[in-house]
Amino acid sequence: MALLYRAEIRPTKLELIGSWLPTRSWYQGPAEPGVRRVSACRFDDPDGEVGVETMLVQAGDGPVLHVPLTYRAAPLDGGEPWLVGTTEHSVLGERWVYDATGDPVYLQALATAILTGGGEAEEYVDGDGGPEQRTPAMTLRGSGTPGNTVPTVGPVEQTTDGDPGRIITGTVALTVHRVPGSVTGGPHVLTGTWDGGSPTVLAALTLR
């Protein structure tokens, strides 16, 4: 499950994304984007330490973009190339926000979902009377089968920041499509569904 808080965040996630997107080679949109949220959901971190969010955003009249993020209470060792920025959370304090394609927690969650047919985490919002469940805004589904063996993703050996973004480790090669639906993904894929649309490929995996 993913536990969320009713909190103020400064700067907001969308403000951070709006400053970061124009620095990416795969970005399509205006030079000074006003970014809007299209949809989002969460993956679960089994250790409960890292927030893992799959976000879809749009800048101006550009295409919908796939921007997975992770949220940490301290800097990720070696994570500077993937740092989107820092923000102040009124409940959790300072948070380091990363492009999740460089975060091992996200990569493991992504591989697990793809290979086991998993999906988004159950979402709960911290309320006065305790956690209250809410329905995620989008659905994720891996193409695999429950019970499949999932290798430890391990350290990143090589990355390509583009569309698609490619992350290679000792056990898997992961592909993250920045523009959903622009390409197909192969036999091991993660699809996303939002706003009543058809499932769209967000990411793919190849075992090494």
Side-chain angles (χ1 to χ4, degrees):
M1 60 171 277
L3 180 61
L4 312 177
Y5 296 90
R6 293 186 174 94
E8 291 186 6
I9 302 174
R10 294 289 182 271
T12 68
K13 290 182 282 187
L14 291 179
E15 288 170 341
L16 286 179
I17 293 171
S19 297
W20 174 77
L21 275 178
T23 70
R24 303 296 95 191
S25 63
W26 46 265
Y27 170 65
Q28 301 178 47
E32 297 183 2
V35 177
R36 73 175 185 90
R37 176 186 182 274
V38 174
S39 197
C41 63
R42 297 275 181 148
F43 276 133
D44 179 44
D45 171 18
D47 294 331
E49 296 294 329
V50 179
V52 184
E53 185 168 23
T54 293
M55 289 194 71
L56 301 177
V57 301
Q58 188 174 25
D61 58 358
V64 172
L65 299 173
H66 176 209
V67 182
L69 298 173
T70 56
Y71 311 109
R72 288 176 167 268
L76 170 64
D77 187 27
E80 292 83 0
W82 295 278
L83 182 66
V84 176
T86 59
T87 191
E88 190 68 27
H89 191 288
S90 62
V91 175
L92 299 176
E94 189 171 12
R95 305 289 281 173
W96 279 258
V97 182
Y98 290 94
D99 171 9
T101 63
D103 193 315
V105 171
Y106 169 75
L107 299 178
Q108 190 67 57
L110 180 59
T112 300
I114 290 174
L115 291 174
T116 66
E120 75 283 358
E122 293 184 345
E123 294 184 5
Y124 290 82
V125 179
D126 190 37
D128 295 337
E132 302 170 2
Q133 188 170 8
R134 74 174 187 182
T135 302
M138 65 182 297
T139 299
L140 302 177
R141 189 63 58 223
S143 59
T145 304
N148 274 350
T149 299
V150 180
T152 299
V153 169
V156 173
E157 296 179 355
Q158 182 180 345
T159 64
T160 302
D161 181 30
D163 183 31
R166 300 187 188 279
I167 307 99
I168 297 175
T169 77
T171 57
V172 298
L174 290 158
T175 300
V176 175
H177 301 307
R178 295 300 192 170
V179 179
S182 60
V183 290
T184 57
H188 300 303
V189 299
L190 180 80
T191 57
T193 307
W194 64 97
D195 290 343
S198 300
T200 303
V201 174
L202 298 178
L205 176 147
T206 302
L207 294 169
R208 299 189 70 198

